[in-house]
Structure formats: structure tokens, C-alpha cells
Amino acid sequence: MGEPVIRVTAMPADTNPYGGVFGGWLMSQMALGAGSTVSRYASGTAVVIGATDFRFPGAMDVGDELSIYTTIAKEGNTSLNIEVRGIARERNTEATKEVCSGTFTFVVIDETGRPRAVKDRPALKTGQEL
């Protein structure tokens, strides 16, 4: 699976009325991780234009740690599809389980807000690595 793109702990404010971690919070964490992957890969700004295939196969409790993993599934001329998985680790153990997954589609944009080719990365600054 590699290294997580982001890692965060679920807090009481992240729960639904039934006391479980809210699916919308999980989706927002997935979008943040996918966006981070895209902006680093394309060396610039990208906007989400779609999201599909959401699954929530496991429940997560307050205090559990969520790790978000991403994979670039498809690269188009101006867009990228990012597959995302969320793995929760129980707070006081090493036990883990998948709690969410989905696919996000992003379009890479230039400084004027218009789509630009993914390949047209801005020149790297001195000392900067991809």
C-alpha cells in the first residue's frame, strides 16, 4: 500500500447523530488526500469534477486513526482519476480495517483557471523534487 498521503484522528465533532464517524467526514478526508496527490503529481492546482464508487465497508470510532492511501488510476490529457482507500487503526491497538474507498476525478488548471495538460508541469524550482 505504501505510505499514507494523510493521517488523522477522528474526533467527537466528526460523528453522526448515532455516535459513529460521519461518512461525509470520511469523504472529505478522501478528497483531501486525492487532491494532495494530484497537485503534487501535476505540480499545480487541480479541481475535483466528480467522485464515484464510494464504499463504507467498516465502521470507525472516535479516537481511531484514519490513514488515506491513493493511487493514480488513469491519466488523461487534462484529468486524473485517483483511487482512494481509507484504513482505520483502532486507537489502543494495531488492529486495522478498511472503512472507505472511492474514486475522484480532477482536472488540472492553469493560473487563469483554464484546464491545462497534466504533462505541462511548471518548471521545478532549485532543490525541488517531485
Side-chain angles (χ1 to χ4, degrees):
M1 245 186 318
E3 291 294 314
V5 177
I6 60 173
R7 190 172 272 160
V8 63
T9 300
M11 300 301 287
D14 305 322
T15 61
N16 61 32
Y18 306 105
V21 172
F22 177 51
W25 180 80
L26 291 168
M27 291 170 69
S28 70
Q29 299 306 313
M30 292 167 58
L32 288 169
S36 177
T37 297
V38 169
S39 63
R40 288 177 67 193
Y41 182 81
S43 297
T45 304
V47 293
V48 66
I49 61 163
T52 60
D53 305 320
F54 286 111
R55 292 184 50 250
F56 301 94
M60 187 174 169
D61 294 322
V62 169
D64 289 355
E65 180 182 83
L66 177 67
S67 295
I68 298 293
Y69 298 88
T70 61
T71 303
I72 297 172
K74 181 180 174 187
E75 181 176 335
N77 182 41
T78 62
S79 65
L80 290 159
N81 285 0
I82 309 297
E83 291 179 355
V84 183
R85 290 181 61 208
I87 306 296
R89 182 189 57 81
E90 292 179 10
R91 179 150 184 88
N92 298 319
T93 73
E94 294 302 314
T96 62
K97 61 185 169 191
E98 184 173 340
V99 292
C100 57
S101 64
T103 302
F104 290 82
T105 302
F106 286 82
V107 168
V108 180
I109 59 174
D110 65 17
E111 58 282 343
T112 67
R114 303 289 304 156
R116 72 160 171 88
V118 175
K119 296 180 210 175
D120 293 343
R121 296 182 177 111
L124 294 178
K125 296 175 186 165
T126 304
Q128 182 182 9
E129 295 180 20
L130 272 181

